[in-house]
Amino acid sequence: MREPIIRQFLDEPQHSHPDKARVTIIPAPLEYTVSYVPGTRHGPQAILNASSQLELYDEELESSPLEEVGIYTRPALDYRGLDHASALKLTGQAVREVLARGQFPLVIGGEHSLSLEPIAVAREFFPDLTVIHIDAHGDLRAEYEGSPLSHACIARRVLELGIPVLEIGIRSISAEEMDFLRNGADAAIVWARDLARGQGHIPWERLSEHTYLTFDLDALDPAEMPAVGTPEPGGLSWYQTLELLREIYRRTTVVALDVVELCPIPGQIRADFLAARLIYKMIGYRFSAQRRA
């Protein structure tokens, strides 16, 4: 039997009105510079399909974020016929439209290079913006495989915009990137090995009032999240991730976010479901934190 194609996150149309929803999801099936396992272009639809199986009630928050907030999912961005730079601009424009409506943009990818323009657009609305980058990789290369727009360069491009970056969960980095950091880059790294030992100090003082959160799913332990293009041993566990996210939302106002790099494995839906559950948790934390404030 062919799997149904879900168009709205959680598949509850009565809570997905484009004008009433406080959250707008932007599916971004971007895949231009994948360097290992291809398939990130299928990530957004896999997440939407899996979301239809989520329980709407969150036992931790004791509420249903969907019913309280409303979540609308735009049609997937169409990158056909576009070069990489133009595709990034299209992604940024979608985020601009959402922010201009006073809604919260949440981009689901797609490869990690898609974050650049959404971050630049968010800074137009929030000039004090900082970026939290949760990832297995530093993504600080000047270029990779001939492209300065590669997924391996996203944090470097953000820093060039003059936006400070806090990287969490890193466990793979090149000598070039370490030299860049040692030469005064406005970035701080919290290593995965230190988090695993309970020794990871997160410099929260680097954060401003407004933050963009970009979450690469390979930050998670591949035992829990195997469906990524560039898996790395170790990484964050599910409950460790939730604890980290709760603290982020407590300390800063996340104004936009993306979740990227799901590379679905045919016949194995557990990773798709984890990604969908993570996104729903992020929405719940964001707006429950706002209520507490």
Side-chain angles (χ1 to χ4, degrees):
M1 182 181 297
R2 190 171 183 178
E3 185 179 9
I5 301 299
I6 303 301
R7 301 300 182 189
Q8 290 294 319
F9 187 77
L10 299 174
D11 197 27
E12 296 284 340
Q14 68 272 30
H15 299 295
S16 303
H17 193 282
D19 296 325
K20 296 178 181 178
R22 297 173 69 185
V23 175
T24 294
I25 291 178
I26 304 168
L30 191 82
E31 185 171 336
Y32 283 81
T33 66
V34 171
S35 54
Y36 192 11
V37 179
T40 57
R41 65 188 181 277
H42 302 302
Q45 189 60 60
I47 290 170
L48 293 179
N49 289 350
S51 77
S52 67
Q53 303 303 310
L54 289 175
E55 185 64 64
L56 302 184
Y57 181 78
D58 187 303
E59 82 292 345
E60 177 190 358
L61 298 176
E62 298 183 338
S63 67
S64 168
L66 173 66
E67 294 174 0
E68 291 191 359
V69 176
I71 304 171
Y72 169 66
T73 306
R74 289 175 50 136
L77 296 175
D78 186 355
Y79 298 121
R80 289 176 296 182
L82 298 180
D83 61 22
H84 194 178
S86 299
L88 296 181
K89 290 290 186 183
L90 179 66
T91 311
Q93 179 57 32
V95 170
R96 182 179 288 106
E97 292 167 2
V98 173
L99 286 171
R101 291 166 63 93
Q103 297 170 318
F104 182 88
L106 197 164
V107 185
I108 54 174
E111 67 166 77
H112 206 169
S113 67
L114 67 80
S115 304
L116 179 58
E117 286 295 327
I119 290 170
V121 167
R123 204 256 300 268
E124 295 174 9
F125 288 80
F126 304 96
D128 69 327
L129 193 74
T130 53
V131 168
I132 295 177
H133 172 211
I134 303 176
D135 202 323
H137 307 90
D139 290 351
L140 290 162
R141 296 175 186 265
E143 64 174 38
Y144 190 65
E145 296 184 338
S147 174
L149 296 178
S150 169
H151 66 95
C153 307
I154 176 61
R156 182 74 163 259
R157 300 289 85 83
V158 170
L159 288 168
E160 290 171 352
L161 296 175
I163 302 174
V165 175
L166 171 59
E167 299 195 322
I168 302 175
I170 308 302
R171 55 194 190 275
S172 177
I173 199 163
S174 67
E176 170 205 341
E177 292 169 286
M178 286 303 300
D179 288 342
F180 174 68
L181 286 169
R182 292 182 182 118
N183 286 321
D186 193 6
I189 287 185
V190 182
W191 302 103
R193 63 176 183 271
D194 293 331
L195 292 172
R197 296 167 182 161
Q199 300 170 349
H201 169 70
I202 299 177
W204 298 113
E205 66 276 5
R206 288 183 56 84
L207 298 183
S208 60
E209 180 182 353
H210 301 106
T211 298
Y212 185 105
L213 174 60
T214 178
F215 194 107
D216 188 323
L217 290 166
D218 65 27
L220 295 160
D221 190 318
E224 298 192 40
M225 172 47 73
V228 292
T230 50
E232 289 287 345
L236 300 169
S237 69
W238 173 253
Y239 286 108
Q240 189 179 24
T241 298
L242 297 188
E243 182 178 356
L244 172 62
L245 290 171
R246 285 194 298 269
E247 191 66 13
I248 288 170
Y249 284 112
R250 188 178 75 82
R251 290 178 176 270
T252 185
T253 299
V254 177
V255 297
L257 70 86
D258 63 59
V259 176
V260 298
E261 294 286 349
L262 179 68
C263 184
I265 301 172
Q268 297 188 33
I269 49 78
R270 63 189 176 102
D272 307 347
F273 187 86
L274 187 156
R277 182 80 187 276
L278 179 67
I279 289 166
Y280 197 40
K281 276 290 190 182
M282 288 175 155
I283 293 170
Y285 288 157
R286 167 61 174 80
F287 288 94
S288 66
Q290 188 178 67
R291 287 200 308 272
R292 289 195 300 271

